[in-house]
C-alpha cells in the first residue's frame, strides 16, 4: 500500500491548536515602549551599541508567559497570535489606522485604547529617526513617482525590519549562546588595534556580547516562570512537565542541547529572539530535519512524545503574527509570516539527506492543520520514492503544503551566482520560494514587487501613465508597426524602471545599514563574527538583493495577441487596439459592461442570425451575445466591426478575438517563447545592478498575493484582461487560460528560465481531490511533479480542493473556519482572506488527471 495515512494528534495538540484558531489578533505595545525608553537612554552612543542595549532591555523586561499545555515555551506577545510594534522602522501608518485596523478588509487587528495611548506616546520620539524616513530621504523624485504609479514597491523593509534570513540553528544547538560569546571574545582579543577597521569591529563585538548575555537571561526568565507555575499547579503530571521546562530553559540555549526536548526548546528560543530583535518577515527555520535529527537519533525518547514535541513547535510557529499597513496587508493577505521550514534534499556531498525527522514534519502538518510553517520539501534525482509519495499524501490533505523544490535546477542556479557547490547543496528556502545558502547569506529577498504588466501598459502608451510622462518616450502605439519595435520599446521602458527599482532598494539597504544593524541575528550568520560586521553592513559570505516580478503570463499573452491578431492575421489594427484598450473594451469597470445588447432588439430572421454566428465562430472559435449583436447591427462584416464610434458594443468583437487567442499554459511554443522573453528581459536588467553590501541583484518571479492588489493599477491589456482585474500569479498561467491539462500547463511553465530567476519562481496548480485520490491518483501526482522537474521547473505547489467547496466557504465562513488554501508562497485560512484574493484562488484553473 502506497497510502499510509496519518495518525491522530494528541489531546494536548488539539487544545493548543484551538487556542490559535480562537485567538483574536491584537496589537501590543510593550516592545515599542521598551525600545523607545532605551533609545532615549543611549543618545550619542554608536548605533550598533544602541541596538544591542535596546535588545538587552527588551529581553530583560518584555512580559513573558507560559500557556497551558505547552511543552515548548516562549512567546513574543502576551495574547496568542498577536503582534508587537517596532517604531524604529516606521510608525505613522500605525497611528493612522488606530481606529480602522480592527475592521479593515485584510488581516484586521484589535487595538485597545490603552495600547493606542502607549503607542502614541512612544511614537512622539521617532519623528525623523526611523529607517523608513531615512530611506525615503535617499530616494529621487522620479523613483518615488514610479512607486506612486504602481510600477513597483520596495517591499517589506521600507516599513519593517530586515528578515528573510536563515541563521545557524545547528551551531547554537551544538554550542549554545556561550559558544557564540567565546567566539566573539576571541575575535575581539585578536583585533589589530592599528587597523582602522578595528574601531568599528570592536563596537560590533561589544554589541554581540551585550545581546547574547541578555538572550541567556531571557531564557532564564522562562525557567523562573516555570518554577513559579509549579507552585501554582496541583496536577502532578503538569508539575513534572513544568519542572522539566524549567530545567530545559536553564540549560538552553545558553549551552548545547543534550537531547531532543532540549533541542526543540533551544530552536524555539532562537526563532522568537530573532523576531524580537527585528520583527522581520520570513525568519525561516530552514533545514529543520538536518540540524534536529542528531538529537533524536541517539535519544531513547518515546517516538510518540517526540512527535508531540514537533507538533508543539508547529503550533508555536502559528503563534507568531505581524501587522502591516492596510495596503501591504492586502498584498500579504492571510496573516502571513512566511517562516519557511524545509526537509529532504541532499547533504554537502550530494547524497540524499532524508531522515526520520523529515517524515515527522509531514506528520506534524496532518496533526496541527494550521497555515504555518510554510513547509517545503527538496526533491532530487535520488530522493526516496517513499519520500515523494509521502509528500504527495500530505499535499492531498488540502492545506497547500508542502511546496516542492527541484535541487537539480536550484543548486546550479546558486553556483552560477558564485555560491560554493557544498554551500549550494545545503540550500534552504526563505520566505515564499527564495533559495539561499543557509546561515551564510544576507539575501535581501522580497526586496520589491515589480509589475511587469504595468511596464507593458506604459510601453503601449509611449511612456505615459495616469496622464503624465512617467517613462521615456518610445513611440506611440500606431508607430510601433512591428513586433521588433514593440519589444524594443518594452526593453527600453524596462531598463528605465528597473534602474529606479535598484535605486529604491539600495536606498532602503543603506537606511538599515546606518540605523538598524542587527548584532544578535548577525552573530548566527557566517562570517559576521570573522569579518567583524553585521549582516546589514556586508558581514555575510553571500550578499544579494532579490526583487520579484509578477505579470509574466499576462505580458507574454498580450504580446502574442498583438503578434497574432495585428501583425500576422491582420484582424485588428493598432489604432483599433489602442481605442479598445483605452475604453476598457466597453466596460465601465472589471465587473459590468457599459452596453449589454439584447438579440431581441434585432429585427433579423433566423437565416441572418445563423450566417452571423458562422462568421464569428470561424474567426474567433467562440461567441457571446454582445459579439453577435455587434455583427448583426453592422451587417456581419469580416473586420473587427469597429465602425460606429458612438456604439460601445464596437469593442466586443475585439475583446472576443483577444480573449480567444492562444495563451501561455497550453504548451504552445510561439506563446511560451514570448512569455520566456518577457521574463528574461526583466531578469537581464536586474542582473546589471549591485547593492551596498557588495552583492549582486538577482531576480525572482513570485507575487505573494500582490498580483491581486497591483492588478488594480493595471489598465486593460491586449490579452483581453479588463482593467483592474488580478494578474497571473507568479509564473503560473493566467487563471482559467491553461485549458489543455496539467501537463501542458507545467510544460509551458518549465520553459521559463528558472535558473536565471535565482531569487525564486512560484508555480501554483490546483487539483480536485478526486483527481489525486486513491493509489493511482497518488502515482499520477508524483508523476506530474517528476515530469515538471525533469523539464527543469524549479518550484510547484498545489491546492487540492474543488471550486464548490471554496464558493461555499466564501458564502458561509462561519462553517469553514478550518479551510486552508495555498495563496502564493504561503498558506492561509481561506475565510481570513480578502474577497478579491478568495476570488482569485477560486478562479484558478481546476485540473483533473
Amino acid at each position: 500500500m502506497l497510502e499510509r495515512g496519518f495518525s491522530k494528534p494528541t489531546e494536548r495538540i488539539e487544545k493548543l491548536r484551538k487556542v490559535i484558531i480562537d485567538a483574536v489578533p491584537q496589537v501590543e505595545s510593550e516592545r515599542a515602549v521598551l525600545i523607545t525608553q532605551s533609545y532615549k537612554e543611549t543618545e550619542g552612543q554608536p548605533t550598533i551599541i544602541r541596538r544591542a542595549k535596546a535588545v538587552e532591555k527588551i529581553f530583560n523586561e518584555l512580559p513573558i508567559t507560559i500557556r497551558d499545555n505547552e511543552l515548548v515555551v516562549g512567546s513574543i506577545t502576551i495574547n496568542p497570535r498577536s503582534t508587537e510594534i517596532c517604531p524604529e522602522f516606521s510608525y505613522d501608518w500605525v497611528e493612522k489606522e488606530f481606529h480602522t485596523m480592527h475592521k479593515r478588509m485584510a488581516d484586521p487587528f484589535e487595538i485597545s485604547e490603552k495600547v493606542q495611548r502607549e503607542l502614541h506616546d512612544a511614537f512622539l520620539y521617532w519623528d525623523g529617526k526611523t529607517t523608513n524616513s531615512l530611506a525615503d530621504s535617499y530616494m529621487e523624485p522620479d523613483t518615488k513617482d514610479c512607486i506612486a504609479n504602481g510600477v513597483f514597491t520596495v517591499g517589506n523593509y521600507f516599513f519593517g525590519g530586515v528578515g528573510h534570513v536563515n541563521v545557524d540553528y545547528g551551531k547554537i544547538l551544538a554550542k549554545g549562546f556561550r559558544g557564540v560569546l567565546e567566539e566573539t571574545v576571541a575575535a575581539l582579543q585578536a583585533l589589530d588595534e592599528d587597523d582602522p577597521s578595528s574601531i568599528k569591529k570592536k563596537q560590533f563585538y561589544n554589541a554581540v556580547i551585550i545581546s547574547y548575555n541578555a538572550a541567556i537571561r531571557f531564557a532564564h526568565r522562562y525557567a523562573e516562570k516555570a518554577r513559579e507555575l509549579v507552585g501554582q499547579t496541583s496536577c502532578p503530571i503538569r508539575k513534572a512537565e513544568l519542572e522539566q521546562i524549567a530545567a530545559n530553559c536553564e540549560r538552553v540555549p545558553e549551552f548545547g542541547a543534550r537531547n531532543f526536548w532540549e533541542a526543540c526548546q533551544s530552536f524555539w528560543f532562537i526563532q522568537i529572539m530573532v523576531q524580537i530583535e527585528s520583527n522581520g518577515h520570513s525568519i525561516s527555520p530552514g533545514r529543520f530535519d538536518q540540524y534536529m535529527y542528531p538529537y533524536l537519533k541517539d535519544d531513547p525518547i518515546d517516538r510518540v512524545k517526540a512527535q508531540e514535541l514537533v507538533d508543539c513547535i508547529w503550533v508555536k510557529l502559528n503563534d507568531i503574527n505581524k501587522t502591516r499597513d492596510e495596503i501591504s496587508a492586502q498584498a500579504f493577505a492571510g496573516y502571513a509570516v512566511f517562516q519557511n521550514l524545509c526537509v529532504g534534499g541532499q547533504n554537502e556531498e550530494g547524497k540524499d539527506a532524508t531522515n526520520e525527522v523529515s517524515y515527522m514534519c509531514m506528520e506534524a502538518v496532518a496533526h496541527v492543520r494550521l497555515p504555518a510553517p510554510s513547509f517545503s520539501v527538496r526533491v532530487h534525482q535520488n530522493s526516496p520514492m517513499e519520500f515523494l509519495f509521502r509528500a504527495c499524501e500530505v499535499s492531498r490533505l488540502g492545506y497547500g503544503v508542502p511546496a516542492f523544490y527541484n535541487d537539480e535546477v536550484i543548486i546550479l542556479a546558486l553556483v552560477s551566482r558564485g555560491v560554493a557547490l557544498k554551500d549550494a547543496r545545503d540550500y534552504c528556502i526563505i520566505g515564499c520560494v527564495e533559495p539561499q545558502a543557509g546561515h551564510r547569506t544576507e539575501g535581501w529577498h522580497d526586496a520589491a514587487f515589480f509589475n511587469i504588466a504595468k511596464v507593458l501598459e506604459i510601453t503601449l502608451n509611449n511612456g505615459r501613465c495616469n496622464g503624465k510622462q512617467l517613462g521615456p518616450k518610445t513611440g506611440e502605439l500606431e508607430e510601433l508597426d512591428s513586433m521588433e519595435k514593440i519589444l524594443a520599446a518594452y526593453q527600453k521602458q524596462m531598463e528605465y524602471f528597473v534602474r529606479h527599482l535598484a535605486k529604491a532598494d539600495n536606498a532602503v539597504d543603506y537606511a538599515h545599514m546606518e540605523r538598524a544593524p542587527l548584532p544578535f541575528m548577525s552573530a548566527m550568520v557566517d562570517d559576521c563574527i570573522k569579518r567583524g560586521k553585521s549582516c546589514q553592513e556586508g558581514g555575510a559570505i553571500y550578499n544579494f538583493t532579490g526583487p520579484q516580478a509578477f505579470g509574466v503570463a499576462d505580458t507574454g499573452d498580450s504580446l502574442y495577441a498583438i503578434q497574432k491578431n495585428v501583425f500576422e492575421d491582420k484582424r485588428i489594427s493598432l489604432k483599433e487596439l489602442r481605442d479598445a484598450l483605452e475604453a476598457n473594451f466597453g466596460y465601465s469597470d472589471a465587473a459590468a459592461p457599459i452596453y449589454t445588447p439584447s438579440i431581441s432588439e434585432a429585427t433579423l430572421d433566423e437565416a441572418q442570425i445563423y450566417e452571423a454566428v458562422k462568421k464569428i465562430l470561424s474567426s474567433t472559435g467562440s461567441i457571446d451575445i454582445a459579439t453577435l449583436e455587434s455583427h448583426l447591427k453592422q451587417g456581419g462584416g469580416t473586420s473587427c466591426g469597429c465602425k460606429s464610434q458612438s456604439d460601445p458594443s464596437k469593442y466586443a468583437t475585439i475583446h472576443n478575438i483577444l480573449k480567444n487567442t492562444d495563451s501561455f499554459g497550453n504548451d504552445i511554443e510561439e506563446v511560451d517563447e514570448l512569455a520566456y522573453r518577457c521574463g528574461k528581459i526583466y531578469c537581464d536588467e536586474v542582473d546589471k545592478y549591485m547593492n551596498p553590501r557588495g552583492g549582486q541583484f538577482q531576480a525572482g518571479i513570485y507575487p505573494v498575493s500582490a498580483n491581486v492588489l497591483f492588478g488594480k493599477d493595471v489598465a486593460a491589456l491586449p490579452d483581453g484582461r479588463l482593467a483592474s482585474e488580478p494578474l497571473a500569479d507568479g509564473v503560473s498561467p493566467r487563471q482559467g487560460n491553461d485549458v489543455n491539462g496539467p501537463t501542458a500547463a507545467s510544460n509551458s511553465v518549465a520553459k521559463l528560465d528558472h535558473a536565471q530567476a535565482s531569487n525564486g519562481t512560484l508555480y501554483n496548480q490546483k487539483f480536485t481531490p478526486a483527481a489525486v485520490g486513491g493509489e493511482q491518483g497518488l502515482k499520477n501526482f508524483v508523476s506530474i511533479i517528476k515530469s515538471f522537474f525533469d523539464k527543469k521547473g524549479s518550484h510547484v505547489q498545489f491546492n487540492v480542493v474543488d471550486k464548490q467547496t471554496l464558493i461555499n466557504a466564501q458564502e458561509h465562513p462561519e462553517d469553514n473556519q478550518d479551510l486552508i488554501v495555498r495563496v502564493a508562497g504561503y498558506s492561509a485560512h481561506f475565510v481570513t482572506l480578502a474577497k478579491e484574493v478568495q476570488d482569485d484562488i477560486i478562479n484558478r484553473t481546476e485540473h483533473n488527471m
Side-chain angles (χ1 to χ4, degrees):
M1 289 285 290
L2 295 176
E3 300 176 272
R4 287 170 46 189
F6 298 91
S7 62
K8 297 292 184 183
T10 64
E11 183 180 356
R12 179 196 310 276
I13 297 304
E14 291 288 16
K15 289 179 178 178
L16 290 172
R17 177 180 180 275
K18 190 174 188 304
V19 170
I20 300 296
I21 291 287
D22 293 344
V24 177
Q26 299 180 48
V27 171
E28 299 183 6
S29 58
E30 285 78 10
R31 187 192 181 281
V33 171
L34 291 170
I35 197 169
T36 303
Q37 291 172 355
S38 178
Y39 264 65
K40 289 178 179 178
E41 295 163 1
T42 58
E43 291 279 3
Q45 297 184 31
T47 299
I48 200 160
I49 296 298
R50 298 185 78 189
R51 293 295 301 170
K53 289 187 175 180
V55 167
E56 179 184 41
K57 189 173 186 69
I58 295 167
F59 283 164
N60 284 341
E61 300 183 34
L62 189 73
I64 60 173
T65 182
I66 295 176
R67 301 192 177 113
D68 292 345
N69 297 301
E70 289 187 325
L71 297 177
V72 176
V73 301
S75 300
I76 296 173
T77 55
I78 299 169
N79 297 290
R81 214 176 174 211
S82 294
T83 188
E84 293 283 357
I85 298 296
C86 300
E88 70 269 35
F89 303 116
S90 65
Y91 66 88
D92 53 346
W93 61 270
V94 181
E95 191 144 23
K96 290 175 183 175
E97 294 190 41
F98 274 169
H99 303 295
T100 60
M101 193 180 291
H102 70 285
K103 60 182 180 182
R104 67 189 187 188
M105 178 171 61
D107 298 0
F109 281 80
E110 298 286 338
I111 313 180
S112 71
E113 290 186 4
K114 175 178 180 291
V115 168
Q116 289 179 32
R117 288 194 301 270
E118 290 171 345
L119 288 176
H120 170 77
D121 291 344
F123 292 164
L124 293 174
Y125 172 79
W126 291 100
D127 184 35
K129 298 182 176 72
T130 64
T131 55
N132 175 254
S133 63
L134 183 59
D136 185 73
S137 73
Y138 282 154
M139 290 186 196
E140 300 172 0
D142 286 349
T143 301
K144 294 180 183 180
D145 277 350
C146 296
I147 296 171
N149 284 278
V151 181
F152 61 81
T153 178
V154 284
N156 295 313
Y157 307 149
F158 191 41
F159 292 108
V162 172
H164 287 83
V165 70
N166 168 256
V167 299
D168 198 345
Y169 298 89
K171 174 180 178 179
I172 306 305
L173 295 186
K175 299 180 178 181
F177 287 170
R178 285 289 167 199
V180 174
L181 286 169
E182 290 169 6
E183 186 181 353
T184 304
V185 169
L188 179 62
Q189 293 174 342
L191 275 177
D192 178 0
E193 296 286 349
D194 295 327
D195 181 353
S197 68
S198 67
I199 297 172
K200 293 279 287 183
K201 289 180 179 179
K202 184 179 293 186
Q203 299 300 333
F204 172 70
Y205 293 140
N206 286 334
V208 171
I209 292 168
I210 293 168
S211 300
Y212 276 77
N213 278 320
I216 290 169
R217 171 65 185 145
F218 182 72
H220 289 176
R221 290 176 66 207
Y222 273 91
E224 294 164 5
K225 182 70 173 179
R227 291 194 181 96
E228 177 188 322
L229 291 174
V230 168
Q232 301 171 8
T233 304
S234 59
C235 174
I237 295 175
R238 185 57 180 164
K239 274 182 180 287
E241 290 173 351
L242 288 167
E243 286 168 353
Q244 186 59 59
I245 288 169
N248 290 345
C249 296
E250 197 68 45
R251 168 77 191 184
V252 296
E254 180 176 5
F255 301 102
R258 299 167 298 186
N259 56 52
F260 193 63
W261 196 345
E262 286 184 354
C264 289
Q265 183 61 68
S266 185
F267 160 80
W268 185 247
F269 272 135
I270 300 164
Q271 187 68 10
I272 62 169
M273 288 180 190
V274 175
Q275 306 265 0
I276 289 169
E277 183 186 33
S278 77
N279 198 34
H281 296 74
S282 307
I283 308 302
S284 294
R287 304 190 74 186
F288 185 84
D289 58 345
Q290 301 306 298
Y291 53 76
M292 292 297 291
Y293 180 59
Y295 301 92
L296 177 71
K297 181 174 60 172
D298 299 322
D299 192 335
I301 185 174
D302 176 77
R303 287 315 194 243
V304 174
K305 175 58 70 174
Q307 181 66 58
E308 189 175 50
L309 287 168
V310 174
D311 293 353
C312 283
I313 287 174
W314 239 249
V315 175
K316 294 294 284 183
L317 286 164
N318 287 273
D319 191 37
I320 294 175
N321 208 349
K322 301 186 189 303
T323 188
R324 308 167 178 87
D325 64 279
E326 184 173 11
I327 299 301
S328 297
Q330 293 179 48
F332 298 92
Y335 298 103
V337 183
F338 308 102
Q339 301 167 98
N340 207 306
L341 188 151
C342 186
V343 302
Q346 306 170 44
N347 61 20
E348 292 182 355
E349 288 74 44
K351 298 177 181 178
D352 180 66
T354 308
N355 61 47
E356 185 178 354
V357 177
S358 312
Y359 294 100
M360 291 173 71
C361 291
M362 297 187 194
E363 197 80 13
V365 173
H367 287 176
V368 175
R369 312 184 309 282
L370 289 171
S374 295
F375 180 51
S376 302
V377 298
R378 285 179 46 181
V379 178
H380 59 99
Q381 290 179 352
N382 295 318
S383 292
M385 287 304 296
E386 179 189 6
F387 179 75
L388 282 171
F389 281 120
R390 191 62 170 162
C392 286
E393 260 198 289
V394 174
S395 190
R396 292 197 311 190
L397 295 173
Y399 307 136
V401 295
F404 296 80
Y405 294 85
N406 186 358
D407 278 9
E408 316 301 339
V409 171
I410 292 172
I411 290 172
L412 290 178
L414 291 173
V415 169
S416 75
R417 295 294 185 185
V419 177
L421 179 59
K422 69 179 183 64
D423 293 343
R425 284 173 171 160
D426 193 36
Y427 82 86
C428 61
I429 301 299
I430 303 297
C432 287
V433 293
E434 304 97 291
Q436 68 163 236
H439 65 80
R440 307 169 183 90
T441 306
E442 174 62 300
W444 205 264
H445 306 288
D446 197 33
F449 294 118
F450 189 92
N451 196 335
I452 285 181
K454 186 69 177 179
V455 175
L456 177 63
E457 176 202 325
I458 293 169
T459 301
L460 300 180
N461 286 279
N462 196 15
R464 294 185 299 273
C465 180
N466 298 325
K468 69 177 296 181
Q469 192 68 42
L470 187 65
K473 292 183 178 180
T474 49
E476 298 294 342
L477 182 56
E478 291 93 325
E479 299 168 355
L480 304 178
D481 53 8
S482 69
M483 281 304 297
E484 291 72 22
K485 289 182 180 180
I486 289 177
L487 286 166
Y490 175 73
Q491 170 88 46
K492 189 170 286 292
Q493 297 290 346
M494 189 68 76
E495 289 174 3
Y496 177 84
F497 290 113
V498 171
R499 182 167 68 251
H500 281 286
L501 166 67
K503 289 181 178 182
D505 273 341
N506 285 342
V508 177
D509 210 335
Y510 272 122
H512 282 274
M513 181 188 299
E514 294 172 27
R515 287 192 172 172
L518 304 172
F520 177 75
M521 181 192 83
S522 298
M524 289 183 281
V525 175
D526 300 341
D527 272 337
C528 288
I529 293 178
K530 183 177 179 180
R531 295 179 179 182
K533 59 176 69 175
S534 69
C535 282
Q536 292 66 48
E537 299 164 299
I541 295 174
Y542 305 112
N543 289 278
F544 298 101
T545 297
Q548 71 267 24
F550 53 91
V552 171
D554 309 87
T555 308
D557 286 350
S558 293
L559 289 175
Y560 181 73
I562 295 172
Q563 175 180 298
K564 177 68 173 172
N565 298 302
V566 175
F567 298 123
E568 292 179 5
D569 295 350
K570 303 187 186 304
R571 300 173 65 196
I572 305 171
S573 72
L574 286 171
K575 183 180 185 307
E576 288 174 327
L577 177 62
R578 185 200 64 191
D579 290 345
L581 293 175
E582 289 179 353
N584 195 26
F585 301 107
Y587 285 69
S588 58
D589 53 39
I594 296 172
Y595 176 72
T596 52
S598 167
I599 290 186
S600 62
E601 295 173 0
T603 55
L604 298 165
D605 60 29
E606 291 185 10
Q608 289 174 297
I609 295 174
Y610 178 67
E611 287 303 314
V613 168
K614 284 199 301 182
K615 287 183 179 180
I616 297 170
L617 287 175
S618 66
S619 61
T620 69
S622 66
I623 193 166
D624 61 22
I625 297 301
T627 307
L628 177 57
E629 181 67 12
S630 175
H631 272 250
L632 289 171
K633 288 191 173 184
Q634 297 161 29
T638 57
S639 70
C640 295
C642 300
K643 295 180 180 179
S644 171
Q645 295 298 313
S646 61
D647 186 353
S649 69
K650 66 184 177 179
Y651 303 119
T653 300
I654 292 179
H655 193 217
N656 219 44
I657 291 170
L658 297 173
K659 284 178 64 179
N660 285 283
T661 304
D662 289 334
S663 55
F664 179 73
N666 296 292
D667 201 10
I668 300 170
E669 195 62 39
E670 296 82 1
V671 187
D672 298 343
E673 173 62 22
L674 278 171
Y676 165 85
R677 289 185 68 178
C678 291
K680 184 164 178 56
I681 287 170
Y682 173 73
C683 292
D684 287 345
E685 290 304 315
V686 170
D687 282 351
K688 294 177 180 179
Y689 295 96
M690 302 292 290
N691 64 41
R693 291 166 284 112
Q696 185 183 13
F697 275 65
Q698 59 170 345
I701 306 176
Y702 55 95
V704 192
S705 56
N707 62 302
V708 178
L709 174 63
F710 292 101
K712 297 176 182 178
D713 292 324
V714 180
L717 292 175
D719 64 346
R721 171 196 161 277
L722 299 179
S724 302
E725 284 188 341
L727 299 165
D729 64 277
V731 294
S732 307
R734 183 159 171 74
Q735 303 89 326
N737 280 8
D738 44 340
V739 296
N740 286 349
T743 301
S746 61
N747 286 348
S748 288
V749 172
K751 294 172 189 176
L752 301 174
D753 194 339
H754 297 270
Q756 186 178 10
S758 53
N759 195 55
T761 61
L762 185 149
Y763 177 33
N764 277 312
Q765 276 199 324
K766 185 166 74 172
F767 286 107
T768 64
V772 293
E775 290 214 8
Q776 188 57 51
L778 195 59
K779 292 177 181 177
N780 292 342
F781 206 167
V782 170
S783 295
I784 284 283
I785 296 166
K786 287 178 69 66
S787 173
F788 179 56
F789 283 178
D790 285 346
K791 293 179 182 294
K792 305 306 179 187
S794 176
H795 158 274
V796 64
Q797 60 196 23
F798 303 93
N799 272 311
V800 180
V801 62
D802 64 83
K803 187 173 185 177
Q804 192 56 51
T805 296
L806 297 175
I807 292 171
N808 291 342
Q810 191 178 61
E811 294 174 350
H812 304 287
E814 69 282 356
D815 298 329
N816 293 275
Q817 297 296 310
D818 276 0
L819 179 61
I820 296 172
V821 294
R822 192 73 174 184
V823 182
Y826 67 101
S827 292
H829 283 106
F830 183 76
V831 299
T832 68
L833 299 172
K835 183 180 183 299
E836 55 196 9
V837 178
Q838 292 178 344
D839 290 341
D840 183 56
I841 295 169
I842 289 170
N843 291 331
R844 290 177 189 172
T845 303
E846 190 174 82
H847 288 295
N848 289 288
M849 295 291 187

